[in-house]
DNA sequence: GGCAGTGAGGTTCCGTATAT
DNA sequence: ATATACGGAACCTCACTGCC
């Protein structure tokens, strides 16, 4: 995978983040994770040496607050940032496009998973056995899954800053759901009715995901 | 109350890959 | 050749918990 930041671009972006507000190193890492929806997660070994280098060059300074090194921009740093505003605008533009690409990839990934599972369910429906209610994928499982999805929305769904967590939680729940349906199907436990329940749960989740990623 | 164990937050060091 | 981006391991500090 190619680096997210080009040569010297991370340095410039760090100056920009510190101009917004003084921050400690860990906060900078978290902020970058959030702005890249969790896809770009710089390691401490990337950020701290950069901050130290900026300080050596006199572009930032730090003070220790509650045991943490809180970095802020110096006049020299502010001057450099303002001298490179054009470059910064280009950088922000390309970062915005990167984040949009990431969102598109997530959306396509979800869509493709949902599509393939629906195809499997359709195929399974053709081979479905006569209902055996003692073994089938029952309404209580449908209810459990609806509650699981609802919990994800209520935990992460409404706040844009929670996108990374939402993506991770969605991926996890979707994988679990797919695994269970496949297991039930291979065990021959799916009736026509339970297949319809699976599809209904999946369609509801799919609609909600589309809304969320819009 | 004192101690050890544990986990999270925060930092440093070092090595590798890549761009200039 | 040098500077920079990046990742990972190791370390330190602190708060919390359980046990004696």
């Amino acid at each position: 995978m190619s680096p997210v930041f080009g040569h010297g671009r991370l340095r410039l972006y760090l100056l920009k983040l510190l101009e917004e507000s003084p921050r400690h190193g860990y906060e900078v890492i978290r902020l970058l994770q959030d702005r890249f929806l969790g896809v770009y997660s710089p390691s401490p070994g990337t950020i701290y040496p950069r901050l130290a280098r900026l300080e050596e060059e006199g572009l930032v300074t730090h003070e220790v607050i509650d045991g943490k090194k809180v970095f802020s921009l110096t006049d020299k740093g502010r001057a450099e940032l303002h001298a490179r505003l054009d470059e910064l605008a280009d950088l922000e533009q390309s970062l915005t496009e990167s984040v949009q690409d990431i969102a598109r990839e997530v959306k396509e990934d979800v869509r493709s998973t949902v599509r393939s599972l629906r195809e499997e369910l359709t195929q399974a429906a053709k081979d479905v056995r006569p209902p055996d209610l003692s073994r089938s994928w029952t309404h209580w499982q449908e209810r459990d899954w609806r509650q699981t999805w609802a919990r994800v929305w209520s935990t992460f769904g409404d706040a844009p800053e929670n996108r990374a967590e939402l993506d991770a939680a969605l991926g996890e729940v979707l994988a679990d759901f797919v695994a269970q349906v496949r297991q039930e199907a291979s065990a021959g436990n799916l009736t026509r009715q339970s297949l319809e329940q699976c599809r209904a749960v999946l369609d509801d989740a799919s609609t909600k995901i589309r809304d969320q990623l819009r």
Side-chain angles (χ1 to χ4, degrees):
Chain A
M1 195 180 82
S2 59
V4 174
F5 287 96
H7 200 75
R9 292 294 185 91
L10 176 61
R11 187 177 181 278
L12 179 60
Y13 201 68
L14 287 177
L15 291 177
K16 191 249 180 191
L17 291 181
L18 294 179
E19 192 199 30
E20 290 173 4
S21 167
R23 307 178 197 277
H24 57 77
Y26 189 68
E27 191 181 354
V28 170
I29 292 169
R30 296 279 294 272
L31 197 61
L32 286 166
Q33 287 173 340
D34 287 347
R35 293 193 181 184
F36 284 86
L37 306 181
V39 173
Y40 173 61
S41 177
S43 76
T46 298
I47 299 303
Y48 289 110
R50 287 303 105 215
L51 290 173
R53 187 58 191 271
L54 289 172
E55 185 164 30
E56 272 178 28
E57 294 170 12
L59 301 177
V60 306
T61 182
H62 84 266
E63 53 182 329
V64 179
I65 300 173
D66 295 333
K68 298 172 200 169
K69 280 185 171 180
V70 176
F71 291 88
S72 56
L73 216 56
T74 63
D75 289 342
K76 188 178 173 186
R78 205 163 284 112
E80 162 144 356
L81 188 63
H82 288 164
R84 298 173 67 187
L85 280 180
D86 289 345
E87 201 180 332
L88 180 63
D90 288 346
L91 174 61
E92 290 195 300
Q93 173 66 27
S94 65
L95 290 180
T96 301
E97 287 166 5
S98 296
V99 171
Q100 285 169 348
D101 285 347
I102 290 164
R104 267 194 294 275
E105 281 172 23
V106 171
K107 199 172 171 177
E108 183 50 41
D109 192 41
V110 168
R111 186 180 295 147
S112 134
T113 304
V114 169
R115 190 186 304 129
S116 74
L117 185 59
R118 288 194 101 243
E119 282 165 7
E120 284 183 42
L121 291 175
T122 301
Q123 184 57 43
K126 291 176 185 164
D127 309 327
V128 75
R129 305 173 176 198
D132 176 356
L133 295 179
S134 65
R135 299 174 63 217
S136 67
W137 200 85
T138 54
H139 71 281
W140 64 265
Q141 283 165 304
E142 179 191 0
R143 189 196 59 209
D144 280 357
W145 277 109
R146 287 190 185 282
Q147 285 174 350
T148 302
W149 286 107
R151 196 162 55 243
V152 173
W153 309 128
S154 65
T155 307
F156 303 113
D158 293 332
E161 65 271 20
N162 287 340
R163 285 290 292 275
E165 288 90 341
L166 175 62
D167 288 347
L170 282 177
E172 207 170 299
V173 174
L174 189 58
D176 287 348
F177 181 76
V178 168
Q180 183 178 356
V181 172
R182 282 185 175 142
Q183 190 183 335
E184 297 290 338
S186 65
N189 291 345
L190 291 181
T191 64
R192 191 172 296 283
Q193 184 191 0
S194 58
L195 277 168
E196 285 311 312
Q197 289 170 343
C198 288
R199 292 172 74 152
V201 171
L202 197 58
D203 286 345
D204 286 354
S206 173
T207 302
K208 187 83 180 180
I209 290 168
R210 271 201 302 276
D211 292 346
Q212 212 70 30
L213 293 175
R214 189 165 291 141

